[in-house]
């Protein structure tokens, strides 16, 4: 089944089809699926359904799958064809009768889409408003209906098992600790009840997916939602018709279990430890497996090499049993509900069959606002604080977890009470967490000597760091003992809600929120000491690996760990922790970071997907300008997408310190104000807008550093901010040589480039491709090219939607300009008239152009005639590409007449996809025999036939032929391959290219 969220509208015809499929026994159903792989039975040109989608599907889902590939009429035709092949005579008779019923639809089935925040294959759900994000399914089964008749013994089994599961879930719930001042927003039991029902109940004629994945950040409610599924079933409110048994499997709990069987695993929660396995095996479609915490599972490296497992009694490691369940090899007809943190989603996608992903988003913005208002009790104060938190995008993102909301609120409330002059503007995410932990520990009652406390704190941080390396978030008693963590410390950390007990795992603890573990793991690398957390390399080497991984990875938690690590380098925060924790920070950390940064010069950071923006965010977190200046002195190139306020803020802070930066790709879509001043209604003061100042800092890198290349493509700016940029680019100190401005919005702001073209004599390369320049913008730029102060040598105007009128102004510019040597006009609708205008300038002997790309410009042999006439008077042109134009053989004939001229300097000619025939080869052969300059000829994409190649080859074998590279279709190259090898053995430099790769330095000619 597709992962899109579709529910099928009730339809009598579909009900009948479903009854036929449900009437098949298991062997017949398997045969029906196999027949769907036969092209003959699919009636020739019907699309075949992949076997992976069919192998574990039940009749209801099968009908949904068929409706995705066929119209309703086609499903009836395919069903009849397969039933006939299976010799199901009575069913064939009934199907034929149904197909003759007037009004049977012939088009695709009508669908009703699920509402909500939908992404492809995803549904985003705040658990507190579950039903608001999912439309109720039509015709859901009524949970109050009586269950089908089952034997008394099985009824008793179910009753006792439900009682056991209800007690288990309620016990787990009671054991989850929350801080005393935590705010509970609302009672949403009824809404969650309805939301869960719409997620897991099948519709009458449409089916829900058999594999559902709840994904999201830590602490947003995935496990809570999964537990409620089990509880609602155990209490008899939901799902008791669809599922006979629901099993809750906690991945962290079974992670260290000994080898067992699936039957043994399911018996764990049975009241008498003896599950009715045979009864379960007889109705696998009525089973629901809730697998909680997939992120704590290790994927076996040899999983794909092992044979499939279908045996409930086969002894295996528990993680293998779970993977066979996930892959639908064990109990393929069962339904799976899986929870995972989002960074393991890709691993899950490789295992699952047709999953439906539900994104749990936690607190909505409205929830967060309500939480802050209720926590602080003062609406104005709460809204000011929330406004500041919103500006700190990573922290605001974290606050989708209720526990982080409590952490932020409790920390700020304590600081405001302690310091009346407390300023929010000076706070960072790291400083909040530092003050949170220090305030808790300052009042902690722990019976430890001053000498032992630093060792205990270092042990806790080491435990957190090791857990991050191995994605371990639950720690058993032996883990704590291995780190020599003492009972009084553990007890104190539990009372302070830094740690909490794991409800379904005796003597296990976990950090109350994963951000606590991330913060403490980062702190490990700034504490004094040389030993690493994982027992192998020393700490500073571990730190290097951490940074390299975190800055080349989009994993949210690695990124956050790097952010905390840099934030802890701030002097006042280090002093705060030293005073509170009585632990010494390492004074070598900064030096080790600078040594790491020194190595950045030797890496190709752009191609290695280095996360520049996250790197800048980490440096901004330090607020230590001297340190930032030192570390950025090693940065030679950067690639930045400024799409929001945070990205603009960190870029403005860091770029002004990038004194050695030589290459920058900068895409800007963050809104920058058009006015420099803002008026504050509260203070009645006028002051510069902070975003204008930040943009000025970004632009300062162009005039204060060593930047020679700027790619400004895919940016959205207003005229004011573009003018600011251009003033910096025309500054006498600006060393920019290459400027790329592709796909700029709005295009009219490119007129501001006139300032740069007049004022910066160092600028030699300008790329304006993929902009609809129009007459006003193109005219202004072309007029500027005529000015003697303009020193542009390379100009790219690829796909700028230029037409014949633009060519007149461009031709005038070429008549005056003496610097332009390379011009790319590819993919513009110039036509023959436009080429004629250009040739007025090209025909001048003093025209400076050497390389011209006119490929895909919609001209014909007439345009070629104009080019040939111009080349008779131009001895400077070296490269001409006119590929993808309908010039045909006559156009080649015109060009060949001038190419034979001894004064013609053309060394490269592109004729790809020009509708050439074998007839043109005679003209080309004549040129190849006599030309002393032609080295490269591209004839790809033309139907020259063997006889045309034979004609060419006679000329290519001549000693007078100077050609070194020939573009030729592969089947034509195969004809002369042997002869080419003989030529090369005799010293010929000729090579044949079957593909012209414009990313290759040799093939791209000049652009």
């Amino acid at each position: 089944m597709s992962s899109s969220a579709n529910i099928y509208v009730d339809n009598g015809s579909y009900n009948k089809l479903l009854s036929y499929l449900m009437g098949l026994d298991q062997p017949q159903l398997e045969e029906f699926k196999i027949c769907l792989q036969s092209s003959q039975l699919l009636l020739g040109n019907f699309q075949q359904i992949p076997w992976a989608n069919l192998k574990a599907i039940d009749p209801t889902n099968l009908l949904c799958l068929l409706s995705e590939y066929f119209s309703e009429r086609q499903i009836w035709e395919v069903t009849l064809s397969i039933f006939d092949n299976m010799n199901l005579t009575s069913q064939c008779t009934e199907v034929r009768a149904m197909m003759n019923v007037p009004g049977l639809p012939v088009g695709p089935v009508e669908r009703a889409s699920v509402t909500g925040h939908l992404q492809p294959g995803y549904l985003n759900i705040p658990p507190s408003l579950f039903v608001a994000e999912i439309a109720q399914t039509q015709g859901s089964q009524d949970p109050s209906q009586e269950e089908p008749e089952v034997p008394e013994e099985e009824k008793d089994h179910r009753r006792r098992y439900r009682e056991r599961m209800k007690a288990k879930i309620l016990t787990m719930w009671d054991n989850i600790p929350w801080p005393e001042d935590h705010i509970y927003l609302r009672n949403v039991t009824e809404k969650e009840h309805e939301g869960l029902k719409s997620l897991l109940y099948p519709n009458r004629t449409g089916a829900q997916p058999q594999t559902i994945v709840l994904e999201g950040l830590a602490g947003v409610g995935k496990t809570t939602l999964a537990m409620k599924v089990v509880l609602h079933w155990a209490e008899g409110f939901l799902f008791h018709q669809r599922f006979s048994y629901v099993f809750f499997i906690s991945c962290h709990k079974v992670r260290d279990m000994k080898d067992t069987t699936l039957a043994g695993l399911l018996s764990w929660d049975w009241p008498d430890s003896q599950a009715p396995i045979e009864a379960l095996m007889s109705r696998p479609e009525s089973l629901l497996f809730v697998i909680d915490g997939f992120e704590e599972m290790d994927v076996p490296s040899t999983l794909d090499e092992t044979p499939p497992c279908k045996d409930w009694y086969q002894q295996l490691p528990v993680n293998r049993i779970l993977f066979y369940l996930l892959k639908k090899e064990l109990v393929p007809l069962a339904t799976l509900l899986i929870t995972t943190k989002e960074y393991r989603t890709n691993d899950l996608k490789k295992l699952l069959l047709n999953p439906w992903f539900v994104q749990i988003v936690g607190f909505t913005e409205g929830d967060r606002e309500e939480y802050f208002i209720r926590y602080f009790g003062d609406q104005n104060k709460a809204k000011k604080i929330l406004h500041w938190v919103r500006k700190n995008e990573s922290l605001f993102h974290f606050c989708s977890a209720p526990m982080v909301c409590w952490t932020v609120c409790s920390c700020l409330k304590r600081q405001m009470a302690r310091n009346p002059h407390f300023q929010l503007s000076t706070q960072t995410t790291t400083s909040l967490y530092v003050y949170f932990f220090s305030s808790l520990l300052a009042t902690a009652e722990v019976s430890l000597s001053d000498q032992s406390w630093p060792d205990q704190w270092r042990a806790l941080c080491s435990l957190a760091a090791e857990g991050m390396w191995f994605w371990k978030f639950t720690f058993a008693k032996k883990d704590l003992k291995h780190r020599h963590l003492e009972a009084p410390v553990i007890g104190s950390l539990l009372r302070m809600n830094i740690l909490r007990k794991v409800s379904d795992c005796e003597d296990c603890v976990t950090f109350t929120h994963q951000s606590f573990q991330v913060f403490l793991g980062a702190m490990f690398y700034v504490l004094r000491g040389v030993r690493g957390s994982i027992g192998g390399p020393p700490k500073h080497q571990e730190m290097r690996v951490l940074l390299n991984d975190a800055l080349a990875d989009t994993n949210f938690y690695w990124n956050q760990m790097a952010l905390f690590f840099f934030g802890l380098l701030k002097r006042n925060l280090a002093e705060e922790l030293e005073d509170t924790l009585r632990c010494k920070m390492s004074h070598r950390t900064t030096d080790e970071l600078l040594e790491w940064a020194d190595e950045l010069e030797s890496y190709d950071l752009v191609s290695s997907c280095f996360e520049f923006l996250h790197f800048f965010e980490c440096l901004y977190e330090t607020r230590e300008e001297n340190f930032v200046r030192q570390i950025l002195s090693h940065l030679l190139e950067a690639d930045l997408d400024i799409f929001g306020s945070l990205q603009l803020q960190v870029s403005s802070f860091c770029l002004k310190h990038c004194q050695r930066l030589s290459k920058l790709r900068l895409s800007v879509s963050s809104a920058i104000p058009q006015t420099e001043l803002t008026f504050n209604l509260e203070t009645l003061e006028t002051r510069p807008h902070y975003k204008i100042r930040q943009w000025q800092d970004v632009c300062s890198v162009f005039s204060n550093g060593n930047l020679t290349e700027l790619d400004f493509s895919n940016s959205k700016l207003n005229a004011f901010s573009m003018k600011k940029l251009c003033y910096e680019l025309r500054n006498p100190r600006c060393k920019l040589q290459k400027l790329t401005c592709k796909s700029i919005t709005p295009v009219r702001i490119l007129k501001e480039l006139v300032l740069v073209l007049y004022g910066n004599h160092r600028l030699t390369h300008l790329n304006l491709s993929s902009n609809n320049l129009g007459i006003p913008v193109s005219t202004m730029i072309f007029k500027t090219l005529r000015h003697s102060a303009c020193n542009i040598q390379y100009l790219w105007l690829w796909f700028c939607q230029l037409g014949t009128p633009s060519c007149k102004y461009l031709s005038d510019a070429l008549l005056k300009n003496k610097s332009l040597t390379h011009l790319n006009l590819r993919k513009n609708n110039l036509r023959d008239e436009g080429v004629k205008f250009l040739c007025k300038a090209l025909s001048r002997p003093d025209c400076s152009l050497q390389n011209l790309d006119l490929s895909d410009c919609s001209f014909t042999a007439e345009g070629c005639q104009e080019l040939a006439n111009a080349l008779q008077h131009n001895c400077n042109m070296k490269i001409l590409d006119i590929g993808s134009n309908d010039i045909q053989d006559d156009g080649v004939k015109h060009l060949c007449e001038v190419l034979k001229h001894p004064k013609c300097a053309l060394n490269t000619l592109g004729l790809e996809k020009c509708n050439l025939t074998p007839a043109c080869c005679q003209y080309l052969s004549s040129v190849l025999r006599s030309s002393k300059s032609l080295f490269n000829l591209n004839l790809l994409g033309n139907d020259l036939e063997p006889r045309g190649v034979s004609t060419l080859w006679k000329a290519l074998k001549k000693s007078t032929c100077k050609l070194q590279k020939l573009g030729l279709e592969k089947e034509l190259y195969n004809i002369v391959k042997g002869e080419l090898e003989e030529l090369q053995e005799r010293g010929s430099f000729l090579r044949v290219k079957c593909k012209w790769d414009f990313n290759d330095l040799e093939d791209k000619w000049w652009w």
Side-chain angles (χ1 to χ4, degrees):
M1 182 176 180
S2 166
S3 58
S4 59
N6 291 315
I7 296 173
Y8 295 86
V9 175
D10 193 11
N11 180 300
S13 167
Y14 267 74
N15 281 332
K16 195 66 180 173
L17 268 170
L18 183 58
S19 71
Y20 290 138
L21 294 176
M22 296 187 75
L24 301 175
D25 59 29
Q26 195 61 35
Q28 288 175 329
L29 182 62
E30 293 304 313
E31 185 179 353
F32 188 94
K33 295 178 193 176
I34 292 169
C35 288
L36 282 169
Q37 299 293 290
S38 167
S39 56
Q40 290 81 13
L41 295 176
L42 288 181
L43 308 177
N45 54 2
F46 284 7
Q47 186 179 357
Q48 192 177 75
I49 304 174
W51 177 246
N53 294 7
L54 287 167
K55 67 177 183 179
I57 209 163
D58 62 13
T60 314
N61 276 306
L62 176 59
L63 182 56
C64 279
L65 190 63
L66 290 171
S67 65
E68 292 184 9
Y69 283 81
F70 311 128
S71 69
E72 187 172 349
R73 184 79 190 186
Q74 289 171 335
I75 297 175
W76 281 100
E77 291 171 358
V78 168
T79 302
L80 177 60
S81 174
I82 294 175
F83 279 0
D84 187 46
N85 185 71
M86 294 170 64
N87 295 318
L88 300 176
T89 309
S90 61
Q91 286 93 328
C92 286
T93 303
E94 292 182 25
V95 170
R96 286 192 182 95
M98 279 296 299
M99 290 177 67
N100 291 326
V101 172
L104 184 70
V106 295
V109 64
E110 182 184 0
R111 299 182 178 186
S113 294
V114 173
T115 60
H117 304 302
L118 286 173
Q119 300 172 353
Y122 284 85
L123 186 61
N124 301 313
I125 302 174
S128 59
L129 295 172
F130 200 85
V131 72
E133 305 300 334
I134 308 177
Q136 291 186 354
T137 56
Q138 300 179 9
S140 296
Q141 297 177 15
D142 184 356
S144 64
Q145 292 177 359
E146 292 185 9
E147 294 183 56
E149 282 297 316
V150 293
E152 287 298 323
E153 184 181 2
E154 187 174 343
K155 276 188 178 179
D156 185 55
H157 272 305
R158 292 189 193 181
R159 180 185 56 77
R160 289 190 297 125
Y161 180 69
R162 281 178 174 162
E163 289 173 357
R164 175 69 174 264
M165 291 306 293
K166 178 180 177 181
K168 174 182 177 176
I169 296 298
L170 289 176
T171 301
M172 290 169 64
W173 226 299
D174 290 341
N175 289 336
I176 298 174
W178 285 94
E180 290 181 6
D181 55 346
H182 174 59
I183 302 294
Y184 297 89
L185 291 188
R186 60 173 71 87
N187 185 344
V188 291
T189 304
E190 183 178 345
K191 289 183 177 181
E192 286 172 347
H193 175 98
E194 292 299 321
L196 290 170
K197 184 171 70 173
S198 64
L199 178 67
L200 285 173
Y201 264 133
N203 197 30
R204 282 180 188 166
T205 56
Q208 296 292 330
Q210 287 183 288
T211 301
I212 303 130
V213 180
L214 307 181
E215 64 162 349
L217 293 174
V220 294
K222 303 179 295 297
T223 297
T224 300
L225 210 54
M227 288 167 65
K228 286 186 176 180
V229 168
V230 181
L231 184 63
H232 285 357
W233 172 82
E235 291 177 330
F237 293 139
L238 288 176
F239 320 130
H240 67 288
Q241 276 199 9
R242 182 173 180 192
F243 302 118
S244 301
Y245 296 98
V246 176
F247 302 98
F248 186 87
I249 301 173
S250 172
C251 291
H252 71 76
K253 185 175 181 179
V254 302
R255 180 172 176 157
D256 297 321
M257 276 179 60
K258 295 178 181 179
D259 291 4
T260 185
T261 65
L262 175 61
L265 185 63
L266 301 186
S267 297
W268 263 44
D269 284 319
W270 219 264
D272 53 11
S273 297
Q274 190 57 51
I277 299 300
E278 300 305 319
L280 300 179
M281 292 174 68
S282 67
R283 291 194 61 206
E285 71 281 356
S286 68
L287 305 180
L288 169 64
F289 292 94
V290 179
I291 300 174
D292 181 47
F294 171 79
E295 69 275 0
E296 300 226 28
M297 291 177 65
D298 294 321
V299 180
S301 58
T302 59
L303 188 65
D304 293 332
E305 301 168 11
T306 55
C309 172
K310 300 181 180 180
D311 186 356
W312 289 46
Y313 294 98
Q314 184 176 344
Q315 192 93 359
L316 290 167
V318 176
N319 69 335
R320 284 193 177 274
I321 293 174
L322 293 184
F323 281 115
Y324 287 133
L325 277 173
L326 294 173
K327 293 177 72 176
K328 292 284 187 179
E329 292 177 2
L330 262 175
V331 206
L333 295 181
T335 300
L336 303 178
L337 179 64
I338 306 153
T339 73
T340 185
K341 294 188 174 83
E342 76 295 335
Y343 60 83
R344 291 297 301 274
T345 299
N346 287 334
D347 292 332
L348 262 179
K349 286 178 179 177
K350 297 171 186 174
L351 296 168
L352 302 179
L353 190 67
N354 304 320
W356 197 44
F357 285 88
V358 180
Q359 190 157 33
I360 308 301
V361 297
F363 273 178
T364 63
E365 285 204 33
D367 292 333
R368 280 170 261 189
E369 182 172 341
E370 183 181 347
Y371 193 101
F372 274 67
I373 290 171
R374 289 181 56 184
Y375 193 96
F376 287 99
D378 181 332
Q379 186 164 339
N380 289 332
K381 180 190 286 187
K383 288 195 171 182
K384 283 181 180 178
I385 293 170
L386 196 60
H387 176 71
W388 171 79
V389 174
R390 275 198 181 96
K391 289 168 68 175
N392 189 330
E393 293 176 18
S394 60
L395 184 61
F396 189 63
H397 187 47
F398 254 155
C399 283
S400 59
M403 194 65 198
V404 178
C405 264
W406 171 79
T407 302
V408 172
C409 289
S410 64
C411 174
L412 291 175
K413 195 171 188 179
R414 284 192 185 97
Q415 288 191 77
M416 289 172 176
R418 190 174 67 175
N419 179 9
H421 304 292
F422 172 76
Q423 290 186 329
L424 270 175
S425 59
T426 62
Q427 300 303 300
T428 64
T429 305
T430 309
S431 68
L432 278 181
Y433 274 73
V434 166
Y435 292 127
F436 171 76
F437 280 96
S438 62
S439 62
L440 285 179
L441 292 162
T443 57
E445 296 179 4
V446 186
S447 56
L448 286 176
S449 65
D450 287 351
Q451 289 77 21
S452 60
W453 179 246
D455 291 336
Q456 290 292 289
W457 191 251
R458 194 176 294 108
L460 179 67
C461 292
S462 179
L463 181 78
E466 181 188 22
M468 291 302 297
W469 280 106
F470 297 107
W471 299 122
K472 187 173 182 178
F473 310 108
T474 303
F475 303 96
K477 191 174 183 178
K478 63 179 182 181
D479 298 317
L480 306 178
K481 190 174 181 181
H482 176 69
R483 295 287 174 182
H484 304 292
L485 281 163
E486 299 179 18
V489 173
I490 299 299
S492 183
L493 293 170
L494 288 168
R495 287 191 296 275
M496 289 185 290
N497 290 299
I498 293 173
L499 293 179
R500 67 174 175 84
K501 290 183 177 180
V502 178
S503 54
D504 61 344
C505 186
E506 191 177 355
D507 293 328
C508 291
V509 296
T510 185
F511 288 91
T512 303
H513 187 262
Q514 191 170 331
S515 63
F516 293 179
Q517 182 175 346
V518 172
F519 174 79
L520 294 172
M523 191 185 295
F524 173 74
Y525 293 100
V526 297
L527 290 173
R528 188 173 292 179
V530 296
R531 186 176 178 183
S533 67
I534 56 179
K539 185 189 290 187
H540 74 277
Q541 289 186 13
E542 256 187 36
M543 177 268 290
R544 288 187 176 210
V545 176
L546 163 68
L547 291 180
N548 289 336
D549 285 354
L551 295 172
D553 191 348
T554 55
N555 182 302
F556 181 75
Y557 302 104
W558 275 116
N559 290 349
Q560 197 65 32
M561 195 168 173
L563 185 81
F564 282 140
F565 171 70
F566 277 90
L568 288 167
L569 300 177
K570 196 174 181 184
R571 291 190 189 91
N572 65 323
L573 298 185
E575 291 167 0
E576 174 80 20
L577 288 172
E578 284 187 338
D579 292 343
T580 308
L581 307 179
R582 288 158 278 180
C583 282
K584 291 295 181 183
M585 300 292 159
S586 172
H587 299 298
R588 279 279 305 151
T589 306
T590 301
D591 293 335
E592 288 163 355
L593 264 177
L594 291 173
E595 289 171 11
W596 166 79
D598 190 35
E599 297 175 2
L600 295 180
E601 292 186 35
S602 60
Y603 296 132
D604 183 356
L605 296 179
V606 173
S607 61
S608 61
C609 300
F610 186 83
E611 293 286 328
F612 290 95
L613 267 176
H614 183 57
F615 181 44
F616 282 9
E617 188 180 349
C618 290
L619 293 173
Y620 180 69
E621 190 77 2
T622 69
R623 303 295 201 278
E624 299 283 351
E625 297 218 26
N626 286 334
F627 167 70
V628 171
R629 188 177 298 108
Q630 283 181 280
I631 207 166
L632 287 177
S633 68
H634 301 284
L635 196 65
L636 303 180
E637 60 180 322
D639 189 338
L640 303 171
D641 286 307
I642 300 179
F643 55 85
S645 299
L646 175 64
Q647 291 74 34
L648 179 60
Q649 189 175 39
V650 301
S651 298
S652 70
F653 179 78
C654 292
L655 279 176
K656 61 187 176 184
H657 297 306
C658 296
Q659 296 301 308
R660 294 184 61 203
L661 195 70
S662 62
K663 294 182 182 180
L664 175 64
R665 193 199 69 81
L666 184 69
S667 175
V668 182
S669 53
S670 176
I672 298 170
Q674 299 209 48
T675 55
E676 292 204 51
L677 301 177
T678 58
F679 184 71
N680 190 314
L681 289 173
E682 293 182 6
T683 62
L684 302 180
E685 292 178 348
T686 302
R687 58 185 179 184
H689 197 288
Y690 71 94
K691 283 194 174 182
I692 295 290
R693 294 197 306 272
Q694 290 169 353
W695 180 238
Q696 185 66 51
D697 285 340
V698 169
C699 294
S700 68
V701 71
F702 309 132
S703 57
N704 295 331
N706 292 285
L707 196 76
T708 58
E709 295 183 32
L710 171 63
D711 185 344
F712 199 59
S713 302
N714 303 304
S715 290
K716 298 177 183 178
L717 286 176
N718 54 50
F720 178 82
S721 50
M722 184 66 176
K723 191 170 288 187
K724 281 272 187 189
L725 169 67
C726 290
Y727 273 121
E728 294 296 335
L729 293 179
R730 68 172 293 176
N731 189 302
R733 296 195 304 272
C734 178
K735 299 175 183 177
L736 193 72
Q737 297 171 17
K738 298 180 180 180
L739 176 62
T740 300
C741 300
K742 296 192 286 189
S743 301
I744 301 296
T745 306
V747 174
R748 64 177 179 273
I749 66 171
L750 291 174
K751 290 193 287 186
E752 305 297 338
L753 287 175
V754 171
L755 293 168
V756 185
L757 298 178
Y758 277 132
N760 188 335
H761 69 278
R762 293 188 180 95
L763 185 66
T764 56
H765 294 62
L766 178 63
N767 189 337
L768 300 177
S769 300
S770 300
N771 289 296
N772 183 3
L773 293 180
I775 296 295
V777 177
S778 62
T779 301
M780 185 171 287
I781 290 171
F782 295 157
K783 284 182 177 179
T784 310
L785 291 175
R786 298 162 58 179
H787 199 281
S788 59
C790 178
N791 195 35
I792 294 295
Q793 298 171 21
Y794 292 71
L795 179 61
W796 288 260
L797 297 171
W798 180 87
F799 193 46
C800 286
Q801 301 188 41
L802 301 176
T804 301
S806 301
C807 291
K808 183 179 184 304
Y809 294 104
L810 179 55
S811 182
D812 291 343
L814 292 175
L815 287 168
K816 296 282 184 70
N817 186 289
K818 300 306 175 189
S819 63
L820 191 66
T821 57
H822 298 70
L823 177 61
N824 187 330
L825 291 170
R826 186 172 182 238
K827 214 171 178 61
N828 287 290
N829 191 28
L830 305 185
R831 311 182 70 82
D832 291 324
E833 280 298 308
V835 174
K836 186 175 182 180
F837 277 125
L838 290 177
C839 287
K840 288 182 180 178
L842 295 178
S843 61
R844 294 281 295 270
D846 58 346
C847 178
S848 60
L849 270 187
Q850 298 174 17
N851 303 306
L852 177 63
D853 186 348
L854 292 175
S855 58
D856 203 2
C857 285
S858 306
F859 63 89
T860 67
E862 185 181 338
C864 273
Q865 179 68 72
E866 297 292 339
L867 285 169
N869 293 340
L871 289 174
Q872 286 182 4
H873 307 284
N874 187 320
C875 298
N876 295 321
M877 187 68 68
K878 302 289 191 302
I879 296 174
L880 176 64
D881 190 352
I882 54 174
S884 299
N885 289 294
D886 188 23
I887 65 170
Q888 301 184 15
D889 297 339
D890 284 346
V892 173
K893 181 180 179 181
H894 296 317
L895 286 173
C896 286
E897 288 172 0
V898 71
L899 287 173
K900 289 187 288 185
H901 197 281
K903 290 187 177 180
C904 180
L906 205 69
N907 62 49
T908 299
L909 177 62
L911 296 172
E912 183 171 353
K913 297 180 182 176
C914 286
N915 291 329
L916 307 182
T917 72
C920 77
C921 295
Q922 195 63 51
Y923 312 130
L924 290 170
S925 294
S926 178
V927 171
L928 293 173
R929 288 191 190 97
S930 59
S931 174
K932 302 291 188 240
S933 62
L934 191 63
F935 297 139
N936 305 297
L937 176 63
N938 186 358
L939 295 173
L940 284 163
N942 293 292
D943 188 14
L944 302 181
E945 300 179 12
R947 59 193 176 94
V949 175
S950 178
T951 302
L952 282 176
W953 205 253
K954 291 175 183 175
L956 291 169
K957 290 191 292 184
K958 297 287 185 182
S959 58
T960 54
C961 178
K962 303 298 181 183
L963 202 70
Q964 296 181 9
K965 186 160 59 173
L966 173 66
L968 208 58
E969 291 298 313
K970 189 171 184 179
E971 59 270 20
L972 298 176
Y973 164 61
N974 289 335
I975 297 171
V976 295
K977 186 177 179 181
E979 293 186 63
L980 176 62
E981 290 172 354
E982 289 180 15
L983 273 179
Q984 290 172 340
E985 287 175 4
R986 295 203 298 267
S988 172
F989 293 104
L990 180 62
R991 289 179 297 150
V992 174
K993 304 280 287 188
C994 297
K995 182 180 179 183
W996 217 273
D997 182 5
F998 288 98
N999 292 315
D1000 185 291
L1001 286 174
E1002 287 188 16
D1003 291 350
K1004 70 179 184 179
W1005 298 347
W1006 61 269
W1007 49 87

